[in-house]
Amino acid sequence: MPSKNAYGADNQQERLDWWIVGFVDGEGTFSISFNRNSTTKFGYQIFPEFVITQGEKSVAVLKTIQKKFKCGKVYINRRKDNHKEDLYRFTVRSQKDLKKIIIPFFAKNKLKTAKAKDFDKFVQVLEMMSSREHLNQIGFAKIKKIAETMNRKQSRILRDYTLDPDRLGKI
Amino acid sequence: MPSKNAYGADNQQERLDWWIVGFVDGEGTFSISFNRNSTTKFGYQIFPEFVITQGEKSVAVLKTIQKKFKCGKVYINRRKDNHKEDLYRFTVRSQKDLKKIIIPFFAKNKLKTAKAKDFDKFVQVLEMMSSREHLNQIGFAKIKKIAETMNRKQSRILRDYTLDPDRLGKI
């Protein structure tokens, strides 16, 4: 629906929404990682996550985003690496929140960078997990292949947790 | 003025504007660097620049931004470092364009992260340069101090081009 009042709450909300899309195009990550977990069928747990990282000086925007989405958590990441200030991560890990809140938001308000392709792949993996395809070997292998074509950051995560061929068979 | 048609061109434009603010909060840099130049009074040329960097896959958004602002250039940066793809930089270096286009845009559409403070400092330096304060020693030293408090990237640029004490005297 069109805004009832261009200076009112609806307009403010739309501005924030588009600001968030731009910010996520810059700083957001749709990540599919594989965490070692010997209790799972293939030795790894598939771990979808939406993340935005900022330095301490800009932690306020992460809280604004958390308040807007009404989900997710803000964690401090004290590994300083080359950074002078602590890093903060806004992260949504709940598959329910990803499916009910995050995915519909970015399905409506489309990303403009190549990150849009990562988002599409993220949606595809979440859908496969919802229909429990990750529990069979073909589905698990397909998710692995999708994750490998996602951006460098995700690929690195996947490479760090290379699959255990004894558990997984040929995929 | 309120949008005449919430689905029309004005609304599209406003969405793009807010997307740009978010994207610049993530990826943009307001930079004051000091380039060695022996023909200048203090041995360095003060070099204000607005930059957004993206990988090749997202070069389209840099062109969208260039088209929106009707200024600046998109350069390829072939230094690959750890990146798999070439980097592209949208950059506005013309002081006229910075003052007439870029600064008024972000004065109207305010940044939400700590980058807003860098923007304020950037504006202050441009104003000082317009009134030719950088040509006297006190003004030059003041700009140097302002640039030093800007974000890491700028500080690094400044450190790489440390001032020549013989030319500059004590500042």
Side-chain angles (χ1 to χ4, degrees):
Chain A
M1 286 209 311
S3 170
K4 287 172 190 164
N5 175 353
Y7 291 116
D10 287 2
N11 196 258
Q12 284 295 323
Q13 193 56 57
E14 199 186 349
R15 286 178 180 184
L16 178 60
D17 287 357
W18 280 98
W19 180 88
I20 288 174
V21 178
F23 195 58
V24 168
D25 260 316
E27 297 282 280
T29 305
F30 297 94
S31 160
I32 303 292
S33 54
F34 291 73
N35 293 345
R36 205 176 263 284
N37 182 338
S38 61
T39 68
T40 61
K41 196 170 176 187
F42 301 118
Y44 290 86
Q45 186 182 15
I46 299 172
F47 188 62
E49 188 183 22
F50 171 58
V51 187
I52 309 173
T53 305
Q54 281 294 285
E56 189 171 12
K57 286 178 200 159
S58 297
V59 69
V61 300
L62 298 184
K63 293 190 173 163
T64 301
I65 292 167
Q66 184 186 33
K67 196 175 161 193
K68 186 260 167 336
F69 285 130
K70 296 186 182 70
C71 70
K73 293 198 172 138
V74 176
Y75 292 105
I76 187 167
N77 184 345
R78 292 201 186 274
R79 291 180 313 170
K80 296 194 181 187
D81 306 309
N82 291 320
H83 298 276
K84 284 179 186 170
E85 51 176 351
D86 285 333
L87 289 178
Y88 286 76
R89 288 160 55 92
F90 166 72
T91 168
V92 182
R93 293 170 177 176
S94 150
Q95 287 188 43
K96 187 181 158 195
D97 291 338
L98 289 169
K99 285 186 278 190
K100 298 275 185 196
I101 300 171
I102 302 301
I103 288 176
F105 178 84
F106 291 102
K108 183 184 170 209
N109 306 300
K110 297 210 183 300
L111 295 156
K112 293 180 189 288
T113 64
K115 217 160 269 184
K117 287 185 184 161
D118 283 344
F119 172 71
D120 291 343
K121 291 169 186 172
F122 188 78
V123 172
Q124 193 185 352
V125 170
L126 264 291
E127 282 170 356
M128 289 178 71
M129 292 177 78
S130 291
S131 54
R132 306 182 70 73
E133 288 182 61
H134 62 301
L135 300 179
N136 72 63
Q137 191 166 310
I138 292 171
F140 190 95
K142 192 173 169 187
I143 291 170
K144 177 179 174 286
K145 273 201 195 306
I146 293 166
E148 279 172 346
T149 66
M150 289 171 80
N151 79 39
R152 276 190 318 117
K153 209 165 180 178
Q154 279 85 292
S155 302
R156 185 172 52 73
I157 290 164
L158 182 64
R159 203 173 54 239
D160 290 348
Y161 296 92
T162 48
L163 297 167
D164 177 349
D166 294 336
R167 273 180 183 275
L168 199 61
K170 284 183 194 170
I171 60 169
Chain B
M1 287 209 311
S3 170
K4 287 171 190 166
N5 175 354
Y7 291 116
D10 286 1
N11 196 257
Q12 284 295 324
Q13 193 56 55
E14 200 185 349
R15 285 179 180 182
L16 178 61
D17 287 356
W18 280 98
W19 179 87
I20 289 174
V21 178
F23 195 57
V24 168
D25 260 316
E27 297 283 280
T29 305
F30 296 94
S31 160
I32 303 291
S33 54
F34 291 72
N35 292 346
R36 206 178 263 281
N37 182 338
S38 60
T39 67
T40 61
K41 197 169 174 187
F42 301 120
Y44 290 86
Q45 186 181 15
I46 300 172
F47 188 62
E49 189 183 22
F50 171 58
V51 187
I52 309 173
T53 304
Q54 281 294 286
E56 190 170 11
K57 286 178 199 159
S58 297
V59 69
V61 300
L62 298 185
K63 294 192 172 161
T64 301
I65 292 167
Q66 184 186 33
K67 196 174 161 192
K68 186 260 169 330
F69 285 130
K70 297 185 181 70
C71 69
K73 295 201 170 137
V74 176
Y75 292 104
I76 187 166
N77 184 346
R78 292 202 185 273
R79 292 182 312 171
K80 295 194 182 186
D81 306 308
N82 292 318
H83 299 276
K84 285 180 185 170
E85 52 176 350
D86 285 333
L87 289 178
Y88 286 76
R89 287 160 56 92
F90 166 71
T91 168
V92 182
R93 293 170 177 176
S94 149
Q95 287 189 43
K96 187 181 158 194
D97 291 339
L98 290 169
K99 286 186 279 190
K100 298 275 185 198
I101 299 171
I102 301 301
I103 288 175
F105 178 84
F106 291 102
K108 183 184 170 210
N109 306 299
K110 296 208 183 301
L111 295 156
K112 292 180 190 289
T113 64
K115 217 160 270 185
K117 288 184 185 162
D118 282 345
F119 172 70
D120 291 343
K121 290 168 186 172
F122 188 79
V123 172
Q124 193 186 352
V125 170
L126 264 291
E127 282 172 356
M128 288 177 71
M129 292 177 78
S130 292
S131 54
R132 305 182 71 73
E133 287 181 62
H134 63 300
L135 300 179
N136 72 64
Q137 192 167 311
I138 292 170
F140 190 95
K142 193 173 169 187
I143 290 170
K144 177 179 174 284
K145 271 200 196 308
I146 293 167
E148 279 173 344
T149 65
M150 289 171 79
N151 80 38
R152 274 190 321 117
K153 208 165 182 179
Q154 278 85 291
S155 302
R156 184 173 51 74
I157 291 165
L158 183 63
R159 202 173 55 240
D160 289 348
Y161 297 93
T162 48
L163 296 167
D164 178 347
D166 294 335
R167 272 180 183 276
L168 199 60
K170 284 183 193 170
I171 59 168

